[in-house]
Amino acid sequence: MAVFNKNTLTQVSGFDNQIIAGELVWQQKTFWNLALNGDDGVPLDLTDATIEAEIIRRTLTNVRDSRYGLSFDIGNYDPTPEPISLTITNINELLGSFTLVIDNDAWGMIEGQVGLDIDNINGIGYSGRIKISFPASGTTPANDLIIFLLFLVRSDAIVNN
């Protein structure tokens, strides 16, 4: 499992914000089971909340793996690719839990981009967010909880052109 340098994570999430970061393999399917608790440790009630997640393709440059973790610079493509919606499933509103699914259909090549050859050290990147929107309730205004996402995708040892 990859360890990311704090400065790399800060490029996406800012200081001390929640983030899920991982190194994946081209066309890998995976998932994360998430359970949210309030400051008091009690599960966060997701009743009436809307949960959505999306990622967008990013450029990665200067990828380095050091004893302090993976570091790289993340940037935008021009033109900007369309965001990719991710699946949220297994929602248990009262327990404050759900599953974020990464489906291999989400990984796509951009026309003209160098393929994920085995010797490509930079790989490709995706950043995004999970947005949990809570409606206003009584005197409590509407509120969004954001969990940032960062994925480095590497070759699967197959030449992808």
Side-chain angles (χ1 to χ4, degrees):
M1 173 173 273
V3 174
F4 289 83
N5 181 293
K6 178 68 174 170
N7 292 333
T8 299
L9 298 175
T10 300
Q11 288 182 74
V12 175
S13 69
F15 293 100
D16 297 323
N17 291 312
Q18 299 176 73
I19 186 168
I20 296 173
E23 184 175 14
L24 305 175
V25 174
W26 180 258
Q27 295 184 328
Q28 178 180 352
K29 293 182 181 182
T30 192
F31 64 92
W32 285 268
N33 290 318
L34 302 170
L36 305 174
N37 292 322
D39 293 336
D40 56 4
V42 174
L44 201 57
D45 187 351
L46 298 177
T47 303
D48 298 326
T50 303
I51 306 171
E52 59 183 41
E54 64 182 15
I55 54 176
I56 193 165
R57 186 71 176 274
R58 302 290 186 193
T59 61
L60 300 180
T61 54
N62 303 317
V63 175
R64 293 177 304 281
D65 194 356
S66 73
R67 65 181 179 171
Y68 302 108
L70 283 170
S71 66
F72 49 84
D73 297 317
I74 187 167
N76 296 321
Y77 275 98
D78 186 22
T80 303
E82 291 294 318
I84 300 163
S85 294
L86 301 177
T87 302
I88 301 292
T89 187
N90 301 331
I91 299 171
N92 186 320
E93 295 170 337
L94 296 180
L95 292 179
S97 64
F98 60 91
T99 301
L100 170 68
V101 178
I102 301 290
D103 190 317
N104 66 325
D105 292 333
W107 312 124
M109 295 298 287
I110 294 176
E111 187 175 337
Q113 179 196 0
V114 175
L116 285 175
D117 296 339
I118 193 71
D119 61 348
N120 182 325
I121 61 167
N122 286 328
I124 57 176
Y126 291 86
S127 68
R129 53 114 178 103
I130 302 170
K131 181 179 178 183
I132 306 162
S133 299
F134 297 93
S137 176
T139 59
T140 305
N143 185 39
D144 292 332
L145 172 64
I146 304 293
I147 302 170
F148 292 95
L149 303 171
L150 173 63
F151 303 118
L152 170 64
V153 181
R154 303 267 189 152
S155 172
D156 60 359
I158 309 255
V159 176
N160 292 302
N161 291 321

